[in-house]
Amino acid sequence: MSTLPRALTLPAQPAAAQAARRAARRRARQERSTAWAFIGPSVVVILGLSVVPVVWSLLLSFRADDLVTPGRWVGLDNYRALAQDPNFRTAVGNTLLYAALYVPLSLVGGLALALALNRRIRLIGLYRTLVFIPFVVSATAQGVLFSFILDPEFGVANALLHQLGISAQGFLADPDQALYLLVLISLWSGVGFCVVVYLAALQDVPPELVEAARIDGAGRAQVLRHVTLPALTPVTVFLLLWQLITSLQVFDLIYVTTKGGPLGSTTVIVYFVWQQAFQMFTAGYGAASAYVLAVALLVAGGALRVVRRRQGRTEGGIR
C-alpha cells in the first residue's frame, strides 16, 4: 500500500479530466470547421439561388416594377388586379383543365402499363425501356418533334388522315384542340415515370397476401382491388402530388409549341407569369401571379398530406 498522503494524489485527477475535456472541445471545433468547409459552398449556392430569390420576388410582388426603372410600392394592388384580370382567369382555367386531364390519365395509364409489364415474359426489359425512354426526352425536343408531326399543312398527322379520307385538322393551331393535344403529348412522356415507380412498388407487394387471396378464391380483379391497390396507396399519393405539381408548372412544352395560343387557349399560369415579367415588363405583376401559383401548390400538397394522414389513422384503427 502507498504511504503517500491522499491529499497529494487527488489533485492530479481533476487536472487530467479538464485536459481531456479541452481536447474533446478542440476536436469538436475542428470537426465543425471541417464540416462547414465542405458544406459552406452548397449553403451559399442554396441561399443565393433559392432563399434570396424567393424573398426578393415576394417583395417584388408588392411593387410596380419593370426591373429597369425605379419601382414603387403598391401593396396589394397587384393581387387585386389579378382578381379582376380576365387573362389571368383564362390562364387559371387552362391550368386546371390541363391538370384535371393529365394527372388522372397519367396515373391510370402508368398503373395499367406497370401491371402489364410486371411479368416474366420474353424481352420484358426491352418493353420497359421503350416505355421509359420518352420520359428522359426533354420537353423542348418533344415540342419540336410534335410541332412537325402536327403541322396543319406539312405534318405527318394530316397526311395520314388524308389517306384515311378524313379532312385535315388544325391540331395545335385550333383553339378547340390545342390544349387537349398538349395533354396527350405530356402523357406520352409522363406516363413512363409513373410506370417505373409503380413497377418498383409492385415488387414490394407481399406475395403471401396475393397467394392467400387466390387460395380464398379471389379472381384477378378482386386481388387487384383488395390487395394490390391498397398496397400501392402510398406510392399513388406520392405520384398524385408529383404529377399535380408537374402539371401546374408546365411551361417549356407550351413555349416551344403554341406560345400560349391560339387565342390564349393554351396560356397557363407559368406562361402567364413569363409573359408579364419578360414580355410586358410588369415584373411585380408577374411575381404576384407566381405567388398565387405557389400558394396553390402549398394548398394542394397540404391537402394531400392531410388525406394521407387520415388514411393512415383509419388503417391503423382497422388493424
Side-chain angles (χ1 to χ4, degrees), residues 199-234:
L199 274 174
L202 286 171
Q203 308 302 316
D204 293 333
V205 175
E208 58 272 12
L209 293 181
V210 177
E211 187 65 25
R214 289 176 178 173
I215 292 175
D216 290 340
R220 289 186 177 180
Q222 292 174 320
V223 171
L224 175 64
R225 178 181 177 183
H226 298 289
V227 178
T228 305
L229 292 182
L232 296 179
T233 298

Short mmCIF file of all heavy atoms in Angstrom, two decimals, residues 199-234:
data_model
loop_
_atom_site.label_atom_id
_atom_site.label_comp_id
_atom_site.label_asym_id
_atom_site.label_seq_id
_atom_site.Cartn_x
_atom_site.Cartn_y
_atom_site.Cartn_z
N LEU A 199 -43.91 0.02 -61.04
CA LEU A 199 -43.23 -1.26 -61.17
C LEU A 199 -42.39 -1.56 -59.93
O LEU A 199 -42.37 -2.70 -59.43
CB LEU A 199 -42.34 -1.26 -62.41
CG LEU A 199 -43.00 -1.65 -63.73
CD1 LEU A 199 -42.02 -1.46 -64.89
CD2 LEU A 199 -43.49 -3.09 -63.70
N ALA A 200 -41.69 -0.55 -59.44
CA ALA A 200 -40.89 -0.75 -58.23
C ALA A 200 -41.79 -1.07 -57.03
O ALA A 200 -41.45 -1.92 -56.19
CB ALA A 200 -40.06 0.50 -57.94
N ALA A 201 -42.94 -0.41 -56.95
CA ALA A 201 -43.86 -0.67 -55.84
C ALA A 201 -44.49 -2.05 -55.93
O ALA A 201 -44.73 -2.70 -54.90
CB ALA A 201 -44.94 0.40 -55.80
N LEU A 202 -44.77 -2.49 -57.15
CA LEU A 202 -45.36 -3.82 -57.30
C LEU A 202 -44.44 -4.93 -56.83
O LEU A 202 -44.90 -6.00 -56.42
CB LEU A 202 -45.75 -4.05 -58.77
CG LEU A 202 -46.99 -3.28 -59.27
CD1 LEU A 202 -47.13 -3.42 -60.77
CD2 LEU A 202 -48.25 -3.76 -58.57
N GLN A 203 -43.13 -4.68 -56.89
CA GLN A 203 -42.19 -5.68 -56.41
C GLN A 203 -42.26 -5.86 -54.90
O GLN A 203 -41.84 -6.88 -54.36
CB GLN A 203 -40.75 -5.29 -56.80
CG GLN A 203 -40.56 -4.98 -58.27
CD GLN A 203 -40.94 -6.12 -59.17
OE1 GLN A 203 -40.60 -7.27 -58.89
NE2 GLN A 203 -41.64 -5.82 -60.26
N ASP A 204 -42.80 -4.82 -54.21
CA ASP A 204 -42.87 -4.87 -52.75
C ASP A 204 -44.22 -5.36 -52.23
O ASP A 204 -44.42 -5.41 -51.01
CB ASP A 204 -42.58 -3.49 -52.16
CG ASP A 204 -41.14 -3.06 -52.39
OD1 ASP A 204 -40.29 -3.96 -52.50
OD2 ASP A 204 -40.88 -1.84 -52.47
N VAL A 205 -45.16 -5.65 -53.13
CA VAL A 205 -46.45 -6.18 -52.66
C VAL A 205 -46.21 -7.58 -52.08
O VAL A 205 -45.64 -8.44 -52.76
CB VAL A 205 -47.46 -6.25 -53.82
CG1 VAL A 205 -48.75 -6.92 -53.36
CG2 VAL A 205 -47.74 -4.86 -54.37
N PRO A 206 -46.59 -7.82 -50.84
CA PRO A 206 -46.31 -9.12 -50.22
C PRO A 206 -46.91 -10.27 -51.03
O PRO A 206 -48.14 -10.35 -51.18
CB PRO A 206 -46.98 -9.01 -48.84
CG PRO A 206 -47.05 -7.54 -48.58
CD PRO A 206 -47.26 -6.90 -49.91
N PRO A 207 -46.10 -11.17 -51.55
CA PRO A 207 -46.65 -12.27 -52.35
C PRO A 207 -47.52 -13.22 -51.55
O PRO A 207 -48.43 -13.85 -52.10
CB PRO A 207 -45.38 -12.98 -52.87
CG PRO A 207 -44.29 -12.58 -51.94
CD PRO A 207 -44.63 -11.22 -51.46
N GLU A 208 -47.28 -13.29 -50.24
CA GLU A 208 -48.11 -14.19 -49.43
C GLU A 208 -49.55 -13.69 -49.36
O GLU A 208 -50.49 -14.50 -49.28
CB GLU A 208 -47.54 -14.33 -48.02
CG GLU A 208 -47.38 -13.04 -47.23
CD GLU A 208 -46.04 -12.37 -47.48
OE1 GLU A 208 -45.35 -12.79 -48.44
OE2 GLU A 208 -45.70 -11.44 -46.73
N LEU A 209 -49.74 -12.37 -49.39
CA LEU A 209 -51.11 -11.84 -49.39
C LEU A 209 -51.83 -12.18 -50.69
O LEU A 209 -53.01 -12.55 -50.69
CB LEU A 209 -51.08 -10.32 -49.18
CG LEU A 209 -50.60 -9.82 -47.83
CD1 LEU A 209 -50.65 -8.30 -47.77
CD2 LEU A 209 -51.44 -10.42 -46.70
N VAL A 210 -51.10 -12.04 -51.80
CA VAL A 210 -51.68 -12.38 -53.10
C VAL A 210 -52.03 -13.86 -53.15
O VAL A 210 -53.12 -14.26 -53.60
CB VAL A 210 -50.71 -12.00 -54.23
CG1 VAL A 210 -51.27 -12.41 -55.58
CG2 VAL A 210 -50.42 -10.50 -54.22
N GLU A 211 -51.11 -14.69 -52.67
CA GLU A 211 -51.36 -16.13 -52.69
C GLU A 211 -52.52 -16.51 -51.79
O GLU A 211 -53.36 -17.35 -52.15
CB GLU A 211 -50.08 -16.87 -52.24
CG GLU A 211 -50.16 -18.37 -52.40
CD GLU A 211 -50.28 -18.81 -53.84
OE1 GLU A 211 -49.84 -18.04 -54.73
OE2 GLU A 211 -50.83 -19.90 -54.08
N ALA A 212 -52.61 -15.86 -50.63
CA ALA A 212 -53.72 -16.15 -49.72
C ALA A 212 -55.05 -15.75 -50.34
O ALA A 212 -56.06 -16.47 -50.20
CB ALA A 212 -53.51 -15.42 -48.40
N ALA A 213 -55.08 -14.61 -51.02
CA ALA A 213 -56.31 -14.18 -51.67
C ALA A 213 -56.73 -15.15 -52.77
O ALA A 213 -57.92 -15.46 -52.93
CB ALA A 213 -56.13 -12.77 -52.25
N ARG A 214 -55.77 -15.66 -53.52
CA ARG A 214 -56.09 -16.61 -54.58
C ARG A 214 -56.58 -17.94 -54.00
O ARG A 214 -57.47 -18.59 -54.56
CB ARG A 214 -54.87 -16.82 -55.46
CG ARG A 214 -54.54 -15.61 -56.33
CD ARG A 214 -53.26 -15.81 -57.11
NE ARG A 214 -53.00 -14.65 -57.97
CZ ARG A 214 -51.88 -14.49 -58.67
NH1 ARG A 214 -50.91 -15.41 -58.60
NH2 ARG A 214 -51.72 -13.43 -59.43
N ILE A 215 -55.99 -18.37 -52.89
CA ILE A 215 -56.44 -19.60 -52.25
C ILE A 215 -57.88 -19.45 -51.77
O ILE A 215 -58.68 -20.40 -51.82
CB ILE A 215 -55.50 -19.97 -51.08
CG1 ILE A 215 -54.12 -20.37 -51.62
CG2 ILE A 215 -56.09 -21.08 -50.24
CD1 ILE A 215 -53.09 -20.63 -50.54
N ASP A 216 -58.24 -18.25 -51.31
CA ASP A 216 -59.61 -17.99 -50.85
C ASP A 216 -60.59 -17.85 -52.00
O ASP A 216 -61.79 -17.61 -51.77
CB ASP A 216 -59.65 -16.73 -50.00
CG ASP A 216 -58.95 -16.93 -48.65
OD1 ASP A 216 -58.80 -18.10 -48.25
OD2 ASP A 216 -58.56 -15.92 -48.03
N GLY A 217 -60.09 -17.94 -53.25
CA GLY A 217 -60.99 -17.91 -54.40
C GLY A 217 -61.12 -16.56 -55.07
O GLY A 217 -62.00 -16.37 -55.91
N ALA A 218 -60.27 -15.59 -54.72
CA ALA A 218 -60.34 -14.28 -55.33
C ALA A 218 -59.80 -14.32 -56.76
O ALA A 218 -58.77 -14.96 -57.03
CB ALA A 218 -59.56 -13.26 -54.50
N GLY A 219 -60.49 -13.63 -57.66
CA GLY A 219 -60.03 -13.54 -59.03
C GLY A 219 -59.02 -12.41 -59.19
O GLY A 219 -58.64 -11.73 -58.23
N ARG A 220 -58.59 -12.17 -60.43
CA ARG A 220 -57.59 -11.12 -60.67
C ARG A 220 -58.12 -9.75 -60.28
O ARG A 220 -57.40 -8.95 -59.68
CB ARG A 220 -57.19 -11.12 -62.15
CG ARG A 220 -56.34 -12.32 -62.57
CD ARG A 220 -55.87 -12.15 -63.99
NE ARG A 220 -55.00 -13.26 -64.39
CZ ARG A 220 -54.45 -13.36 -65.60
NH1 ARG A 220 -54.68 -12.44 -66.52
NH2 ARG A 220 -53.66 -14.41 -65.87
N ALA A 221 -59.36 -9.48 -60.63
CA ALA A 221 -59.92 -8.17 -60.32
C ALA A 221 -60.03 -7.96 -58.81
O ALA A 221 -59.76 -6.87 -58.29
CB ALA A 221 -61.29 -8.02 -60.97
N GLN A 222 -60.41 -9.01 -58.10
CA GLN A 222 -60.53 -8.89 -56.65
C GLN A 222 -59.18 -8.75 -55.97
O GLN A 222 -59.02 -8.01 -55.01
CB GLN A 222 -61.28 -10.11 -56.10
CG GLN A 222 -62.74 -10.18 -56.52
CD GLN A 222 -63.41 -11.46 -56.09
OE1 GLN A 222 -62.81 -12.53 -56.17
NE2 GLN A 222 -64.66 -11.37 -55.62
N VAL A 223 -58.18 -9.48 -56.47
CA VAL A 223 -56.83 -9.33 -55.93
C VAL A 223 -56.32 -7.92 -56.17
O VAL A 223 -55.71 -7.29 -55.29
CB VAL A 223 -55.88 -10.37 -56.57
CG1 VAL A 223 -54.43 -10.08 -56.18
CG2 VAL A 223 -56.27 -11.77 -56.14
N LEU A 224 -56.58 -7.40 -57.36
CA LEU A 224 -56.15 -6.04 -57.68
C LEU A 224 -56.82 -5.03 -56.76
O LEU A 224 -56.17 -4.12 -56.25
CB LEU A 224 -56.46 -5.72 -59.14
CG LEU A 224 -56.18 -4.29 -59.60
CD1 LEU A 224 -54.69 -3.99 -59.51
CD2 LEU A 224 -56.69 -4.08 -61.02
N ARG A 225 -58.12 -5.21 -56.54
CA ARG A 225 -58.89 -4.22 -55.76
C ARG A 225 -58.58 -4.30 -54.28
O ARG A 225 -58.42 -3.26 -53.62
CB ARG A 225 -60.38 -4.45 -55.99
CG ARG A 225 -61.27 -3.51 -55.19
CD ARG A 225 -62.74 -3.81 -55.45
NE ARG A 225 -63.60 -2.97 -54.63
CZ ARG A 225 -64.92 -3.06 -54.60
NH1 ARG A 225 -65.54 -3.96 -55.37
NH2 ARG A 225 -65.64 -2.27 -53.82
N HIS A 226 -58.47 -5.51 -53.72
CA HIS A 226 -58.39 -5.66 -52.27
C HIS A 226 -56.97 -5.88 -51.75
O HIS A 226 -56.74 -5.76 -50.54
CB HIS A 226 -59.28 -6.82 -51.82
CG HIS A 226 -60.73 -6.62 -52.12
ND1 HIS A 226 -61.52 -5.71 -51.46
CD2 HIS A 226 -61.55 -7.21 -53.04
CE1 HIS A 226 -62.76 -5.75 -51.93
NE2 HIS A 226 -62.80 -6.65 -52.90
N VAL A 227 -56.02 -6.20 -52.63
CA VAL A 227 -54.66 -6.45 -52.18
C VAL A 227 -53.67 -5.49 -52.82
O VAL A 227 -52.94 -4.77 -52.13
CB VAL A 227 -54.24 -7.92 -52.49
CG1 VAL A 227 -52.80 -8.15 -52.06
CG2 VAL A 227 -55.16 -8.89 -51.79
N THR A 228 -53.65 -5.46 -54.15
CA THR A 228 -52.62 -4.68 -54.84
C THR A 228 -52.81 -3.18 -54.67
O THR A 228 -51.88 -2.47 -54.29
CB THR A 228 -52.62 -5.04 -56.34
OG1 THR A 228 -52.46 -6.45 -56.49
CG2 THR A 228 -51.48 -4.32 -57.05
N LEU A 229 -54.01 -2.68 -54.95
CA LEU A 229 -54.24 -1.24 -54.86
C LEU A 229 -54.04 -0.68 -53.45
O LEU A 229 -53.42 0.38 -53.29
CB LEU A 229 -55.63 -0.90 -55.39
CG LEU A 229 -55.85 -1.09 -56.90
CD1 LEU A 229 -57.26 -0.68 -57.29
CD2 LEU A 229 -54.82 -0.30 -57.68
N PRO A 230 -54.54 -1.34 -52.39
CA PRO A 230 -54.23 -0.83 -51.05
C PRO A 230 -52.74 -0.80 -50.74
O PRO A 230 -52.26 0.11 -50.07
CB PRO A 230 -54.97 -1.81 -50.12
CG PRO A 230 -56.09 -2.33 -50.94
CD PRO A 230 -55.54 -2.44 -52.33
N ALA A 231 -52.00 -1.78 -51.24
CA ALA A 231 -50.55 -1.78 -51.02
C ALA A 231 -49.86 -0.66 -51.77
O ALA A 231 -48.79 -0.19 -51.36
CB ALA A 231 -49.96 -3.13 -51.43
N LEU A 232 -50.47 -0.20 -52.86
CA LEU A 232 -49.88 0.86 -53.68
C LEU A 232 -50.34 2.26 -53.26
O LEU A 232 -49.95 3.23 -53.90
CB LEU A 232 -50.23 0.65 -55.16
CG LEU A 232 -49.70 -0.62 -55.82
CD1 LEU A 232 -50.17 -0.69 -57.27
CD2 LEU A 232 -48.18 -0.68 -55.74
N THR A 233 -51.13 2.36 -52.21
CA THR A 233 -51.69 3.65 -51.82
C THR A 233 -50.62 4.71 -51.52
O THR A 233 -50.72 5.84 -52.02
CB THR A 233 -52.61 3.50 -50.60
OG1 THR A 233 -53.70 2.64 -50.95
CG2 THR A 233 -53.16 4.85 -50.16
N PRO A 234 -49.57 4.41 -50.74
CA PRO A 234 -48.55 5.45 -50.51
C PRO A 234 -47.88 5.92 -51.80
O PRO A 234 -47.62 7.12 -51.97
CB PRO A 234 -47.55 4.75 -49.58
CG PRO A 234 -48.31 3.64 -48.94
CD PRO A 234 -49.28 3.18 -49.97
#
